[in-house]
Amino acid sequence: MSYFSRLTDIVTCNLSHLLAEAADPAAAIVEIIKEMEEGLTGAQRSVRTARASEESLRQEIDAHRVQVEMWTAKAREHLQSGAEADARQSLLRKREVEDLIAGLAQQHEAAIKYSEHLATMQRALEARLADALRRRDEMGVDRSDSETNVPRYLRVPTAPDVSDLHREIDDELEVLRKQISG
């Protein structure tokens, strides 16, 4: 049985409800985790692709900006040598490249927003997967070797973890302790 047809299904799912309706909650949690891991792999791939597209557009814009400078310099050279028609032609070419840059800049902005959206979706998927892994452990279901896609910072630590996320959590805990005691 497939539990999720879209990545948003994973983010919006009610895990308690899915497990409560399952005939075999232990088997269901294993299948749910498997599907979440597959979804996360796809999300990670999508984020990488979106970031590559974003970078490609940025590089293309940079290359066209160099062309704008080149056409400006050519127009200046033509004007200095008295070739006003050639200077005018160079400025027309410069304007064409500037218009192209404007279109690419809009695409780049859209690519940035899309990349950010996908990264947010990936983090939400990671959070859902972490919840499912905790529930599996609470149910006493054997761990599988399929957790290779789970980011290290989401895995249940077997040794002290000094990742940035855990340091931030430690800092937050300290603030809460101070609020409680003070």
Side-chain angles (χ1 to χ4, degrees), residues 1-29:
M1 170 182 170
S2 179
Y3 287 92
F4 310 111
S5 61
R6 301 169 303 149
L7 293 180
T8 53
D9 291 346
I10 296 173
V11 174
T12 60
C13 78
N14 182 333
L15 198 51
S16 297
H17 181 72
L18 290 174
L19 293 174
E21 288 186 346
D24 182 359
I29 194 71

Side-chain angles (χ1 to χ4, degrees), residues 73-85:
K74 280 191 179 218
R76 187 177 295 116
E77 289 171 15
H78 289 306
L79 198 55
Q80 287 173 342
S81 67
E84 188 173 322

Side-chain angles (χ1 to χ4, degrees), residues 26-81:
I29 194 71
V30 169
E31 182 62 27
I32 288 169
I33 289 170
K34 179 182 173 211
E35 288 184 37
M36 287 180 170
E37 288 174 334
E38 290 169 1
L40 181 56
T41 298
Q44 291 165 336
R45 190 173 38 253
S46 294
V47 167
R48 282 191 304 274
T49 301
R51 287 185 178 152
S53 175
E54 178 186 333
E55 178 62 18
S56 175
L57 284 166
R58 187 195 59 75
Q59 289 175 354
E60 188 174 354
I61 290 168
D62 290 346
H64 287 299
R65 285 186 178 137
V66 169
Q67 287 182 3
V68 165
E69 293 171 14
M70 186 256 326
W71 285 115
T72 302
K74 280 191 179 218
R76 187 177 295 116
E77 289 171 15
H78 289 306
L79 198 55
Q80 287 173 342
S81 67

